[in-house]
Amino acid sequence: MRNSKLLISQALKTISGNLERTGDPLGLRSPYWTRWTRRIDLPRHGSPLLFTARMYQMLPFVVQATEMAEKAAPLVPALSVKTIAKVVEIAGAAAAEPILRLRARRARDLRNRAETALAGIVAALAAAGILPGYLYEKEPYSGVLLYDLGMEAAAASAARGVHQTLKEAGVDTVITVDPHTTFMLRQVYPRYIPGFRLPVRHYLEVLAGVGAMPKPLRRTGLPVRIVMHDSCVMTRDLGVVAPARTVLSRLGIEVVEPENTKTDTACCGGPVEYAFADLSRSISCIRAAELAGACRNVLVACPICLINLMKHEKDLGIRVWDMGELLFHAFASRLREAAPQRPSEEPDGKGAAGVRAARI
Amino acid sequence: MNRDEAERKRLLAEFAKCRSCRFCVDVCPTYQASCGVESFSGYGRMQIIKYLLTGLLEFDDALTYCLYSCLQCRRCEVVCKSKGQNLDICDLIQRGRRLLSGRLARGGRHAKL
């Protein structure tokens, strides 16, 4: 609690400064968010567009940044917070990127899981006859953290930037992969941008809405029963509850409901991790224990929930799955089927994939 | 009347609708994790913003921690709606933060509401 005022002040400055300087909340310049596409080749243009907003890709960096902040905490009584904050601010622009990159390499397991989740989402969409476009290095960040922190002017500026990018790419439908970005695009952007009416659909809504989603190609490794952790944003902000359950039933997985579920779900503690790691851990511990009491396999469909609940995997003997990981197990071979027809070789992006992209 | 002043009045009018039933307190994950400190709940945070806006409280580290530790998970709103009051608690807290964040980013330790 001590120095919270300065801590929040510094967090606000750092995040908005990073975004202003590099367009990335972590202040990283090289496009770490495209690494997952090594597994699959998506068209660079066309609609629908897959918009990840870098959320899954930044997980290893977020974990490392939080750990570094936690380790620096004992130094606070010795040096003043202001001194530390100033050093971080000055060094941040030059030194943060290589340090974060180096440390994030150690979080290889998390990076693999995040990349697998994204590949799984694309594989399932491909199985449903939808091959979305992807902006690769041009993909912007949604500005959701700025909005959550109350930095409205900066969030509005980020929203306008995203809108411009999507407009230039000729996108008429967006498929999102996480609840936070979906919330921003669907409910916040229209407040900032008059006339913003882009159809925005979460991938689970798309998959649940497809009449004939094929059965899983491979069942090996898929759990038989799983307890569902609903995301607060997904259920209470967006009112999306049924699609995840529809997709699970199509995968042949039995859903176990915990005590607090659907619109009465309990938070994973993720939203305050950027500044109050102890509090965040206490909240996630309470939720993880509740879920572990229902089933050892826990399902999330949000990158923030994933990193917060997976901290307790060893302690509680649970396995936290992201929905994308399940989809990867079920439909991974679809990626190989989609790969040979490379639409990126066609500059106008209206190649095979553009034609094959089903209407959603 | 500038924009902040108008927002201050609107927020106070909203807070006046709260009937202090405190049903939103128990369900807050931060309240549960902090072993029952009411300041870490929807009701507690609304009270903090109200008294900051009326000048009865001064903005300090403890209050910053309380306000910025809100998860914005809206669990409090589910209870508030089910009890017939229908306050958008998280939205009100978020609006309070908006008034603060610009000043915090500029003023750091010396920021005031």
Side-chain angles (χ1 to χ4, degrees), chain B residues 9-27:
Chain B
K9 289 203 167 167
R10 280 196 297 269
L11 272 176
L12 286 173
E14 286 293 317
F15 291 140
K17 292 179 191 166
C18 174
R19 292 183 215 151
S20 304
C21 69
R22 291 179 168 83
F23 282 116
C24 61
V25 172
D26 283 346
V27 297

Side-chain angles (χ1 to χ4, degrees), chain A residues 1 3-6 8-9 12-13 147-150 152 232 236-237 260 263-265 271-272 276 279 283, chain B residues 3 29-30 33 40 59 61-62 64-65 68-71 73-75 78 94 97-98 101 104-105 108-109 111:
Chain A
M1 199 178 292
N3 293 312
S4 294
K5 212 169 162 183
L6 203 60
I8 293 294
S9 161
L12 294 170
K13 272 191 235 175
Y147 177 79
D148 284 347
L149 288 170
E152 206 171 19
C232 308
R236 285 194 281 265
D237 283 311
N260 297 295
T263 50
D264 197 29
T265 186
V272 295
F276 310 120
L279 179 66
I283 296 166
Chain B
R3 210 174 138 207
T30 56
F40 291 97
F59 193 42
D61 283 330
T64 308
Y65 188 49
Y68 282 87
S69 60
C70 172
L71 298 155
C73 72
R74 297 187 188 272
R75 207 167 175 209
V78 175
Q94 176 78 334
R97 278 185 188 175
R98 272 180 224 154
S101 287
L104 266 176
R109 192 192 296 278

